[in-house]
Amino acid sequence: MKKNAVWIAVFAVVVIVCALFAVFNKKPGDTAQILRNGEVIKTVELDKVEEPYEFAVEGWSGGENVVRVENGRIAIIDADCPDKVCVNTGYISDGSRTIVCMPHRISVRIVGADADIDAAAG
Ligand SMILES: [Zn+2]
């Protein structure tokens, strides 16, 4: 009897862990790519961000975009480009929108979990 209870508990834990893993693994759009002139210069796994942080990205022909990363979302919060379209786009959290800074040729996009994460984890 006691042994059965232990096995049931172990089984339950395994099922829960598998379910959680599947949920997190299948969650689409958790990797952000920062591109300059069409080339990926930085990749951020948004679901692994614990504390929000910021970093600067240099534009194609000078200038600077300040990118802020939070858990599950990313934005360009400051830039010295003339139009500020990138800043006005605000936060993106899935692949439906892309942040583009035309003057600096910088863009930020979110790609699906099965695109790049598998390759990086392998
Ligand atoms: Zn801009």
Side-chain angles (χ1 to χ4, degrees):
M1 272 311 250
K2 212 179 170 191
K3 223 173 188 181
N4 275 347
V6 171
W7 278 112
I8 289 166
V10 169
F11 184 72
V13 168
V14 168
V15 168
I16 291 166
V17 169
C18 285
L20 285 176
F21 188 77
V23 166
F24 281 114
N25 217 25
K26 288 223 170 79
K27 198 184 87 182
D30 45 13
T31 297
Q33 294 179 332
I34 293 110
L35 295 91
R36 179 166 56 215
N37 202 33
E39 264 182 62
V40 177
I41 56 169
K42 193 172 172 65
T43 303
V44 179
E45 288 186 42
L46 293 177
D47 59 344
K48 296 207 170 89
V49 176
E50 282 164 12
E51 291 288 322
Y53 62 95
E54 295 161 14
F55 57 87
V57 177
E58 200 188 322
W60 174 249
S61 53
E64 196 176 80
N65 295 65
V66 179
V67 177
R68 181 175 169 88
V69 177
E70 294 180 7
N71 190 294
R73 62 181 198 162
I74 187 166
I76 292 177
I77 57 162
D78 197 16
D80 54 5
C81 56
D83 60 13
K84 298 281 194 292
V85 168
C86 51
V87 178
N88 291 332
T89 304
Y91 284 92
I92 59 169
S93 56
D94 57 53
S96 64
R97 288 196 299 157
T98 305
I99 303 171
V100 179
C101 184
M102 290 293 277
H104 291 171
R105 295 196 200 178
I106 297 288
S107 62
V108 181
R109 70 183 181 193
I110 294 177
V111 294
D114 48 3
D116 288 54
I117 285 181
D118 285 350

